[in-house]
Amino acid sequence: QVQLVESGGRLVQPGGSLRLSCVVTGLRFHLYTMAWFRQAPGKDREFLAAHDYRDRRANYANSVRGRFTVSRDNDKNTVYLQMDSLKTEDTGIYSCAASGRSRPTGSFDYTYWGQGTQVTVSS
């Protein structure tokens, strides 16, 4: 059974930093592209960042490029999202997802999803 379990979400002040983790079990982690998505209140789910399993490169949404960093540890079956210079608009539920494709083009390419962890950016 495949499981993706996120952790690290909490309340943080604007300008602060946070690191999220997603531990994956039940699949060959090193053969999956891992991504982070966010769903803000009243908004559609938004792609944030992905780390490709094949070319080992990361790509980012414009809204987080330069502030967020995605990384992975294949020995620990874990993907991370380092978030710096947080803004109030970064508030939302953050979920990780796994795709067996290299360079997935949309959320529909992701097969497995975690339940999410809440991040609240507020003073």
Side-chain angles (χ1 to χ4, degrees):
Q1 183 179 358
V2 177
Q3 286 191 311
L4 286 69
V5 180
E6 303 93 338
S7 63
R10 61 175 175 85
L11 172 65
V12 61
Q13 291 188 341
S17 296
L18 206 57
R19 188 176 84 154
L20 306 182
S21 300
C22 172
V23 178
V24 181
T25 56
L27 53 75
R28 300 174 72 184
F29 182 78
H30 67 286
L31 295 179
Y32 281 78
T33 294
M34 298 301 302
W36 287 94
F37 290 78
R38 173 176 69 203
Q39 185 154 25
K43 295 187 177 180
D44 292 335
R45 184 167 56 196
E46 173 189 14
F47 167 82
L48 300 177
H51 196 286
D52 195 270
Y53 80 92
R54 182 171 292 177
D55 62 23
R56 303 183 185 180
R57 295 179 66 178
N59 66 293
Y60 299 92
N62 289 336
S63 59
V64 304
R65 186 176 291 112
R67 299 189 299 122
F68 290 12
T69 303
V70 61
S71 61
R72 66 193 293 162
D73 185 335
N74 286 345
D75 290 334
K76 296 182 178 180
N77 283 14
T78 302
V79 60
Y80 304 97
L81 186 67
Q82 176 66 41
M83 304 186 293
D84 299 316
S85 303
L86 283 162
K87 306 175 182 179
T88 55
E89 53 262 44
D90 291 319
T91 293
I93 297 174
Y94 285 67
S95 300
C96 62
S99 171
R101 295 188 62 173
S102 175
R103 293 294 176 184
T105 56
S107 60
F108 47 83
D109 282 329
Y110 290 87
T111 307
Y112 303 104
W113 293 81
Q115 292 296 311
T117 185
Q118 176 71 45
V119 172
T120 302
V121 184
S122 175
S123 55

